[in-house]
PDB file of all heavy atoms in Angstrom:
ATOM      1  N   ASN F  25      14.607 -10.940   6.037  1.00  0.00           N
ATOM      2  CA  ASN F  25      15.386 -11.136   7.285  1.00  0.00           C
ATOM      3  C   ASN F  25      14.876 -12.398   8.050  1.00  0.00           C
ATOM      4  O   ASN F  25      15.296 -12.570   9.192  1.00  0.00           O
ATOM      5  CB  ASN F  25      15.174  -9.872   8.175  1.00  0.00           C
ATOM      6  CG  ASN F  25      15.956  -8.720   7.632  1.00  0.00           C
ATOM      7  OD1 ASN F  25      16.968  -8.881   6.990  1.00  0.00           O
ATOM      8  ND2 ASN F  25      15.437  -7.533   7.852  1.00  0.00           N
ATOM      9  N   GLY F  26      14.126 -13.242   7.391  1.00  0.00           N
ATOM     10  CA  GLY F  26      13.893 -14.559   7.970  1.00  0.00           C
ATOM     11  C   GLY F  26      12.445 -14.784   8.542  1.00  0.00           C
ATOM     12  O   GLY F  26      12.153 -15.927   8.955  1.00  0.00           O
ATOM     13  N   LEU F  27      11.581 -13.797   8.583  1.00  0.00           N
ATOM     14  CA  LEU F  27      10.252 -13.954   9.060  1.00  0.00           C
ATOM     15  C   LEU F  27       9.369 -14.727   8.058  1.00  0.00           C
ATOM     16  O   LEU F  27       9.610 -14.664   6.828  1.00  0.00           O
ATOM     17  CB  LEU F  27       9.592 -12.622   9.394  1.00  0.00           C
ATOM     18  CG  LEU F  27      10.218 -11.789  10.544  1.00  0.00           C
ATOM     19  CD1 LEU F  27       9.359 -10.493  10.730  1.00  0.00           C
ATOM     20  CD2 LEU F  27      10.257 -12.580  11.865  1.00  0.00           C
ATOM     21  N   THR F  28       8.429 -15.429   8.584  1.00  0.00           N
ATOM     22  CA  THR F  28       7.432 -16.042   7.666  1.00  0.00           C
ATOM     23  C   THR F  28       6.606 -14.945   7.048  1.00  0.00           C
ATOM     24  O   THR F  28       6.589 -13.824   7.511  1.00  0.00           O
ATOM     25  CB  THR F  28       6.488 -16.991   8.474  1.00  0.00           C
ATOM     26  OG1 THR F  28       5.722 -16.181   9.373  1.00  0.00           O
ATOM     27  CG2 THR F  28       7.229 -18.056   9.228  1.00  0.00           C
ATOM     28  N   TRP F  29       5.848 -15.269   5.959  1.00  0.00           N
ATOM     29  CA  TRP F  29       5.017 -14.285   5.342  1.00  0.00           C
ATOM     30  C   TRP F  29       4.028 -13.724   6.355  1.00  0.00           C
ATOM     31  O   TRP F  29       3.781 -12.491   6.435  1.00  0.00           O
ATOM     32  CB  TRP F  29       4.276 -14.815   4.163  1.00  0.00           C
ATOM     33  CG  TRP F  29       5.098 -14.862   2.943  1.00  0.00           C
ATOM     34  CD1 TRP F  29       5.432 -16.026   2.212  1.00  0.00           C
ATOM     35  CD2 TRP F  29       5.710 -13.826   2.189  1.00  0.00           C
ATOM     36  NE1 TRP F  29       6.232 -15.698   1.123  1.00  0.00           N
ATOM     37  CE2 TRP F  29       6.355 -14.350   1.052  1.00  0.00           C
ATOM     38  CE3 TRP F  29       5.707 -12.445   2.390  1.00  0.00           C
ATOM     39  CZ2 TRP F  29       7.051 -13.558   0.134  1.00  0.00           C
ATOM     40  CZ3 TRP F  29       6.396 -11.649   1.444  1.00  0.00           C
ATOM     41  CH2 TRP F  29       7.041 -12.186   0.364  1.00  0.00           C
ATOM     42  N   ALA F  30       3.397 -14.567   7.172  1.00  0.00           N
ATOM     43  CA  ALA F  30       2.457 -14.146   8.149  1.00  0.00           C
ATOM     44  C   ALA F  30       3.057 -13.153   9.127  1.00  0.00           C
ATOM     45  O   ALA F  30       2.493 -12.128   9.513  1.00  0.00           O
ATOM     46  CB  ALA F  30       1.795 -15.294   8.881  1.00  0.00           C
ATOM     47  N   ASP F  31       4.253 -13.523   9.662  1.00  0.00           N
ATOM     48  CA  ASP F  31       4.933 -12.663  10.680  1.00  0.00           C
ATOM     49  C   ASP F  31       5.406 -11.362  10.002  1.00  0.00           C
ATOM     50  O   ASP F  31       5.309 -10.274  10.620  1.00  0.00           O
ATOM     51  CB  ASP F  31       6.132 -13.380  11.318  1.00  0.00           C
ATOM     52  CG  ASP F  31       5.628 -14.502  12.233  1.00  0.00           C
ATOM     53  OD1 ASP F  31       4.530 -14.471  12.702  1.00  0.00           O
ATOM     54  OD2 ASP F  31       6.421 -15.412  12.484  1.00  0.00           O
ATOM     55  N   ALA F  32       5.864 -11.449   8.758  1.00  0.00           N
ATOM     56  CA  ALA F  32       6.317 -10.264   8.089  1.00  0.00           C
ATOM     57  C   ALA F  32       5.107  -9.317   7.777  1.00  0.00           C
ATOM     58  O   ALA F  32       5.233  -8.114   7.972  1.00  0.00           O
ATOM     59  CB  ALA F  32       6.961 -10.620   6.745  1.00  0.00           C
ATOM     60  N   ALA F  33       4.001  -9.857   7.488  1.00  0.00           N
ATOM     61  CA  ALA F  33       2.787  -9.064   7.253  1.00  0.00           C
ATOM     62  C   ALA F  33       2.376  -8.362   8.557  1.00  0.00           C
ATOM     63  O   ALA F  33       2.046  -7.203   8.571  1.00  0.00           O
ATOM     64  CB  ALA F  33       1.647  -9.903   6.740  1.00  0.00           C
ATOM     65  N   GLY F  34       2.369  -9.069   9.609  1.00  0.00           N
ATOM     66  CA  GLY F  34       1.984  -8.496  10.952  1.00  0.00           C
ATOM     67  C   GLY F  34       2.961  -7.370  11.368  1.00  0.00           C
ATOM     68  O   GLY F  34       2.525  -6.324  11.861  1.00  0.00           O
TER      69      GLY F  34
END
Side-chain angles (χ1 to χ4, degrees):
N25 289 329
L27 294 182
T28 65
W29 279 118
D31 290 339

